[in-house]
Structures are given as C-alpha cells and as structure tokens.
Amino acid sequence: MIVKNFLLTVLLLVSCVSFIIAGQLYWQKKIDDTVKQAMAEAPKQEAIENESKLMKYAAQLPSEVQEKIKNAIHTNHPVRLVIVGSEAISSSEKSWPALFKNELESTYGQQVFEVVVKEYGEMTTKEALEANVDKEIIDAKPDILLWEPFILNNNGVIEIEDTLQQIDTIIQNIQSALPDVTIMLQPPHPIYNARYYPSQVEQLQSFAKEKGYIYLDHWKAWPDYKSEELNDVVNENTDLPNERGHQLWADFLIDYFIAK
C-alpha cells in the first residue's frame, strides 16, 4: 500500500512537472512568436512612416510625378530627373541645378531622385535638332525631363513660331521613345528691359499649356524685367544669372518640388 501510494505520488509529481514544463514551453513559444512578429512588422511600419513623410514633401506635385516618387520609394529605384538647358545652367557648385539637386537629395534622400544635368551652351533649338540632342536626352533615360528650351539663344536668330515647332518636334521624338516621361518646361532667366524676349516667353507658356506640358513659371520669383532691380541678380555684362540669381532660381524649384 505504501509502495502504491509512493508510486502515485511520483506519477502525480511527474505529471505536474510535465504540465509546468509544457506550459512554459507553450508560453515561451507564444512570446517568441510575438517578438518575431513585432520584429518583422517594425521595418514595415518604419517604411510606411517614411513613405508618408516623403509623400508630404511631394504633396503639391502633379499626380504623375507623385506616383513616380512613390514607386521610387517602394522599389529603391530613384526617379531619374534630367535637367537640360543653355549656358544659364552652369556647372558651378553654386549654380541653380547644383543647389536644387542638393536640396532634393537632402530632403528626399538619394534613393528617391537621381539628378542628371546636361548643358548645351549657346545652342539654338535648330542646332539641337541637327545635333540629335533629342537622342542624347533619350539615352539619358529621364523619368522627368526638366527642359529650358534655348528660347534666349533663339532670340533674334529664329522666329518664335519656328522655335516652338522645333521644341515640339524634339519633345515628340523623346515621347515616342519614352512614352512615360514627364515633360516640364521652364523659361530661361529674364533679361533687363528686353523688348521681344518677354513676349517669346509668354508664347512658350501658352504652347506648354496647349500641349499639356507642365510649365514652371519661375519668372514670378524674379524682379520685373523692366525694373533695374533685375540687375542685382543678372550680370549686366553677360546677361547670365549671378550667384544671387542662381539661388533665386533654385529656391523657386525647391519650393515647387518640396512642400513645407
């Protein structure tokens, strides 16, 4: 009888210990699974929060550009922004493209925008067609093309009607090869007391609106072209933006691309 009771006690103890161990193992697994799930969800939550923050910066951009930015965030393949223009672009570290590029990368990060700058000096639109500049732009594979289309270089050389036709031909060639490219047009900088040039810029704006291209009217940010104050930001001898002019131009584009 004593032996029987002893065996029952041992069995009971073994059962209790087994139950306790099984319970501990069960709850440990539950805890481990919860921790693993939390660790797995943390990067996702961080990514969601990062996307939300970046998309707030893009809030005022056209929807097609916002979609490209969102895709860049998801895929880690940056939006390729190709800036094309005349000698007003400049390769200086204080030029508007450099200032603009630095601010884009600082705000969005280098995984969202990849900026490529192509400067064509005093080239006209006619010369651009003859030199196959459209093919060079296509080879750069822009997702967004920000083009200052040589209006000032054409001034006094090529009639505005021919200029717009040549611009249209270049864009059509680019869009034929890159149907998803976003076209953004912007004028060159203003010139003090110019006579015909402002009218040509107005016609460029009308052309962009008619064709459905995005037009970035940065002239709003400059002093009036009839005001001598313009000489404070545009060099009177070269008719090119000075350091302050480049900053002014860059600030306009920064404010357009980055909502704050």
Side-chain angles (χ1 to χ4, degrees), residues 124-147:
T124 65
T125 50
K126 182 175 183 292
E127 291 168 340
L129 270 174
E130 293 170 347
N132 295 320
V133 166
D134 50 354
K135 293 182 180 178
E136 292 183 19
I137 295 172
I138 291 167
D139 289 342
K141 298 180 179 178
D143 297 302
I144 301 172
L145 171 62
L146 175 56
W147 185 22

mmCIF file of all heavy atoms in Angstrom, residues 124-147:
data_model
loop_
_atom_site.group_PDB
_atom_site.id
_atom_site.type_symbol
_atom_site.label_atom_id
_atom_site.label_comp_id
_atom_site.label_asym_id
_atom_site.label_seq_id
_atom_site.Cartn_x
_atom_site.Cartn_y
_atom_site.Cartn_z
ATOM 1 N N THR A 124 21.016 76.673 -80.251
ATOM 2 C CA THR A 124 19.624 77.013 -80.559
ATOM 3 C C THR A 124 18.817 75.723 -80.712
ATOM 4 O O THR A 124 19.380 74.625 -80.779
ATOM 5 C CB THR A 124 19.524 77.815 -81.863
ATOM 6 O OG1 THR A 124 19.954 76.979 -82.957
ATOM 7 C CG2 THR A 124 20.388 79.069 -81.812
ATOM 8 N N THR A 125 17.505 75.872 -80.806
ATOM 9 C CA THR A 125 16.664 74.686 -80.993
ATOM 10 C C THR A 125 16.927 74.039 -82.353
ATOM 11 O O THR A 125 16.874 72.812 -82.486
ATOM 12 C CB THR A 125 15.175 75.057 -80.875
ATOM 13 O OG1 THR A 125 14.897 76.194 -81.708
ATOM 14 C CG2 THR A 125 14.805 75.383 -79.449
ATOM 15 N N LYS A 126 17.208 74.853 -83.361
ATOM 16 C CA LYS A 126 17.520 74.312 -84.695
ATOM 17 C C LYS A 126 18.804 73.492 -84.642
ATOM 18 O O LYS A 126 18.876 72.372 -85.177
ATOM 19 C CB LYS A 126 17.663 75.456 -85.705
ATOM 20 C CG LYS A 126 17.944 75.010 -87.136
ATOM 21 C CD LYS A 126 17.933 76.218 -88.067
ATOM 22 C CE LYS A 126 18.143 75.800 -89.526
ATOM 23 N NZ LYS A 126 19.508 75.286 -89.767
ATOM 24 N N GLU A 127 19.801 74.031 -83.971
ATOM 25 C CA GLU A 127 21.069 73.309 -83.831
ATOM 26 C C GLU A 127 20.888 72.048 -82.992
ATOM 27 O O GLU A 127 21.539 71.024 -83.245
ATOM 28 C CB GLU A 127 22.116 74.225 -83.195
ATOM 29 C CG GLU A 127 22.557 75.367 -84.107
ATOM 30 C CD GLU A 127 23.377 76.420 -83.375
ATOM 31 O OE1 GLU A 127 23.289 76.489 -82.129
ATOM 32 O OE2 GLU A 127 24.105 77.175 -84.055
ATOM 33 N N ALA A 128 19.994 72.119 -82.014
ATOM 34 C CA ALA A 128 19.730 70.946 -81.173
ATOM 35 C C ALA A 128 19.146 69.806 -81.999
ATOM 36 O O ALA A 128 19.517 68.638 -81.818
ATOM 37 C CB ALA A 128 18.782 71.322 -80.038
ATOM 38 N N LEU A 129 18.242 70.147 -82.907
ATOM 39 C CA LEU A 129 17.675 69.124 -83.788
ATOM 40 C C LEU A 129 18.751 68.535 -84.696
ATOM 41 O O LEU A 129 18.839 67.314 -84.869
ATOM 42 C CB LEU A 129 16.556 69.725 -84.640
ATOM 43 C CG LEU A 129 15.133 69.667 -84.074
ATOM 44 C CD1 LEU A 129 14.174 70.431 -84.972
ATOM 45 C CD2 LEU A 129 14.675 68.220 -83.928
ATOM 46 N N GLU A 130 19.565 69.405 -85.255
ATOM 47 C CA GLU A 130 20.608 68.954 -86.180
ATOM 48 C C GLU A 130 21.663 68.108 -85.470
ATOM 49 O O GLU A 130 22.256 67.207 -86.070
ATOM 50 C CB GLU A 130 21.268 70.169 -86.849
ATOM 51 C CG GLU A 130 20.324 70.929 -87.769
ATOM 52 C CD GLU A 130 20.891 72.261 -88.237
ATOM 53 O OE1 GLU A 130 21.910 72.715 -87.663
ATOM 54 O OE2 GLU A 130 20.319 72.856 -89.169
ATOM 55 N N ALA A 131 21.880 68.386 -84.186
ATOM 56 C CA ALA A 131 22.896 67.659 -83.413
ATOM 57 C C ALA A 131 22.323 66.425 -82.711
ATOM 58 O O ALA A 131 23.029 65.765 -81.940
ATOM 59 C CB ALA A 131 23.527 68.593 -82.385
ATOM 60 N N ASN A 132 21.044 66.139 -82.966
ATOM 61 C CA ASN A 132 20.387 64.972 -82.352
ATOM 62 C C ASN A 132 20.415 65.021 -80.820
ATOM 63 O O ASN A 132 20.630 64.001 -80.148
ATOM 64 C CB ASN A 132 21.040 63.671 -82.835
ATOM 65 C CG ASN A 132 20.840 63.439 -84.323
ATOM 66 O OD1 ASN A 132 19.764 63.701 -84.863
ATOM 67 N ND2 ASN A 132 21.881 62.963 -84.988
ATOM 68 N N VAL A 133 20.180 66.211 -80.293
ATOM 69 C CA VAL A 133 20.120 66.352 -78.840
ATOM 70 C C VAL A 133 18.975 65.517 -78.269
ATOM 71 O O VAL A 133 19.075 64.993 -77.154
ATOM 72 C CB VAL A 133 19.977 67.838 -78.446
ATOM 73 C CG1 VAL A 133 19.561 67.985 -76.983
ATOM 74 C CG2 VAL A 133 21.288 68.569 -78.690
ATOM 75 N N ASP A 134 17.900 65.370 -79.046
ATOM 76 C CA ASP A 134 16.789 64.546 -78.574
ATOM 77 C C ASP A 134 17.244 63.118 -78.289
ATOM 78 O O ASP A 134 16.823 62.503 -77.300
ATOM 79 C CB ASP A 134 15.630 64.560 -79.574
ATOM 80 C CG ASP A 134 16.064 64.274 -81.004
ATOM 81 O OD1 ASP A 134 17.275 64.165 -81.268
ATOM 82 O OD2 ASP A 134 15.174 64.155 -81.871
ATOM 83 N N LYS A 135 18.136 62.589 -79.118
ATOM 84 C CA LYS A 135 18.644 61.230 -78.896
ATOM 85 C C LYS A 135 19.531 61.174 -77.650
ATOM 86 O O LYS A 135 19.529 60.176 -76.920
ATOM 87 C CB LYS A 135 19.409 60.749 -80.127
ATOM 88 C CG LYS A 135 18.516 60.542 -81.351
ATOM 89 C CD LYS A 135 19.297 60.022 -82.547
ATOM 90 C CE LYS A 135 18.377 59.825 -83.754
ATOM 91 N NZ LYS A 135 19.133 59.362 -84.950
ATOM 92 N N GLU A 136 20.282 62.245 -77.417
ATOM 93 C CA GLU A 136 21.109 62.292 -76.202
ATOM 94 C C GLU A 136 20.227 62.289 -74.953
ATOM 95 O O GLU A 136 20.547 61.640 -73.952
ATOM 96 C CB GLU A 136 21.997 63.537 -76.216
ATOM 97 C CG GLU A 136 23.079 63.514 -77.285
ATOM 98 C CD GLU A 136 23.974 64.743 -77.217
ATOM 99 O OE1 GLU A 136 23.997 65.407 -76.154
ATOM 100 O OE2 GLU A 136 24.636 65.042 -78.222
ATOM 101 N N ILE A 137 19.129 63.018 -75.037
ATOM 102 C CA ILE A 137 18.197 63.052 -73.902
ATOM 103 C C ILE A 137 17.550 61.680 -73.713
ATOM 104 O O ILE A 137 17.413 61.192 -72.587
ATOM 105 C CB ILE A 137 17.125 64.140 -74.116
ATOM 106 C CG1 ILE A 137 17.784 65.527 -74.112
ATOM 107 C CG2 ILE A 137 16.043 64.053 -73.036
ATOM 108 C CD1 ILE A 137 16.853 66.662 -74.497
ATOM 109 N N ILE A 138 17.172 61.051 -74.805
ATOM 110 C CA ILE A 138 16.584 59.706 -74.730
ATOM 111 C C ILE A 138 17.571 58.734 -74.091
ATOM 112 O O ILE A 138 17.206 57.917 -73.238
ATOM 113 C CB ILE A 138 16.171 59.222 -76.135
ATOM 114 C CG1 ILE A 138 14.974 60.035 -76.643
ATOM 115 C CG2 ILE A 138 15.830 57.729 -76.118
ATOM 116 C CD1 ILE A 138 14.688 59.860 -78.123
ATOM 117 N N ASP A 139 18.833 58.841 -74.483
ATOM 118 C CA ASP A 139 19.865 57.952 -73.925
ATOM 119 C C ASP A 139 20.052 58.172 -72.424
ATOM 120 O O ASP A 139 20.483 57.265 -71.705
ATOM 121 C CB ASP A 139 21.200 58.169 -74.644
ATOM 122 C CG ASP A 139 21.188 57.622 -76.072
ATOM 123 O OD1 ASP A 139 20.307 56.799 -76.380
ATOM 124 O OD2 ASP A 139 22.048 58.036 -76.877
ATOM 125 N N ALA A 140 19.720 59.375 -71.951
ATOM 126 C CA ALA A 140 19.823 59.669 -70.513
ATOM 127 C C ALA A 140 18.680 59.032 -69.726
ATOM 128 O O ALA A 140 18.715 59.003 -68.496
ATOM 129 C CB ALA A 140 19.840 61.177 -70.282
ATOM 130 N N LYS A 141 17.652 58.551 -70.429
ATOM 131 C CA LYS A 141 16.517 57.825 -69.845
ATOM 132 C C LYS A 141 15.836 58.584 -68.701
ATOM 133 O O LYS A 141 15.734 58.085 -67.578
ATOM 134 C CB LYS A 141 16.969 56.442 -69.370
ATOM 135 C CG LYS A 141 17.482 55.558 -70.501
ATOM 136 C CD LYS A 141 17.919 54.196 -70.003
ATOM 137 C CE LYS A 141 18.411 53.339 -71.172
ATOM 138 N NZ LYS A 141 18.884 52.010 -70.729
ATOM 139 N N PRO A 142 15.361 59.778 -68.997
ATOM 140 C CA PRO A 142 14.683 60.529 -67.923
ATOM 141 C C PRO A 142 13.307 59.955 -67.590
ATOM 142 O O PRO A 142 12.577 59.509 -68.479
ATOM 143 C CB PRO A 142 14.540 61.927 -68.533
ATOM 144 C CG PRO A 142 14.476 61.685 -70.013
ATOM 145 C CD PRO A 142 15.389 60.516 -70.268
ATOM 146 N N ASP A 143 12.983 59.962 -66.310
ATOM 147 C CA ASP A 143 11.596 59.763 -65.887
ATOM 148 C C ASP A 143 10.884 61.113 -65.919
ATOM 149 O O ASP A 143 9.692 61.196 -66.195
ATOM 150 C CB ASP A 143 11.545 59.183 -64.472
ATOM 151 C CG ASP A 143 12.186 57.812 -64.396
ATOM 152 O OD1 ASP A 143 11.731 56.911 -65.121
ATOM 153 O OD2 ASP A 143 13.153 57.639 -63.623
ATOM 154 N N ILE A 144 11.663 62.149 -65.597
ATOM 155 C CA ILE A 144 11.183 63.531 -65.683
ATOM 156 C C ILE A 144 12.223 64.325 -66.472
ATOM 157 O O ILE A 144 13.414 64.271 -66.162
ATOM 158 C CB ILE A 144 11.006 64.166 -64.294
ATOM 159 C CG1 ILE A 144 10.005 63.377 -63.451
ATOM 160 C CG2 ILE A 144 10.563 65.622 -64.420
ATOM 161 C CD1 ILE A 144 9.930 63.846 -61.999
ATOM 162 N N LEU A 145 11.767 65.046 -67.478
ATOM 163 C CA LEU A 145 12.647 65.945 -68.225
ATOM 164 C C LEU A 145 12.291 67.377 -67.858
ATOM 165 O O LEU A 145 11.168 67.824 -68.099
ATOM 166 C CB LEU A 145 12.480 65.737 -69.729
ATOM 167 C CG LEU A 145 13.192 66.767 -70.628
ATOM 168 C CD1 LEU A 145 14.702 66.729 -70.413
ATOM 169 C CD2 LEU A 145 12.843 66.550 -72.100
ATOM 170 N N LEU A 146 13.230 68.077 -67.258
ATOM 171 C CA LEU A 146 13.066 69.497 -66.936
ATOM 172 C C LEU A 146 13.917 70.272 -67.936
ATOM 173 O O LEU A 146 15.141 70.302 -67.836
ATOM 174 C CB LEU A 146 13.512 69.774 -65.497
ATOM 175 C CG LEU A 146 13.519 71.237 -65.034
ATOM 176 C CD1 LEU A 146 12.162 71.887 -65.223
ATOM 177 C CD2 LEU A 146 13.966 71.333 -63.580
ATOM 178 N N TRP A 147 13.246 70.898 -68.906
ATOM 179 C CA TRP A 147 13.955 71.483 -70.047
ATOM 180 C C TRP A 147 13.737 72.987 -70.126
ATOM 181 O O TRP A 147 12.606 73.460 -70.112
ATOM 182 C CB TRP A 147 13.472 70.810 -71.338
ATOM 183 C CG TRP A 147 14.208 71.237 -72.580
ATOM 184 C CD1 TRP A 147 15.450 71.793 -72.655
ATOM 185 C CD2 TRP A 147 13.735 71.136 -73.928
ATOM 186 N NE1 TRP A 147 15.797 72.045 -73.964
ATOM 187 C CE2 TRP A 147 14.759 71.645 -74.768
ATOM 188 C CE3 TRP A 147 12.566 70.660 -74.506
ATOM 189 C CZ2 TRP A 147 14.635 71.701 -76.152
ATOM 190 C CZ3 TRP A 147 12.437 70.709 -75.888
ATOM 191 C CH2 TRP A 147 13.462 71.217 -76.701
#
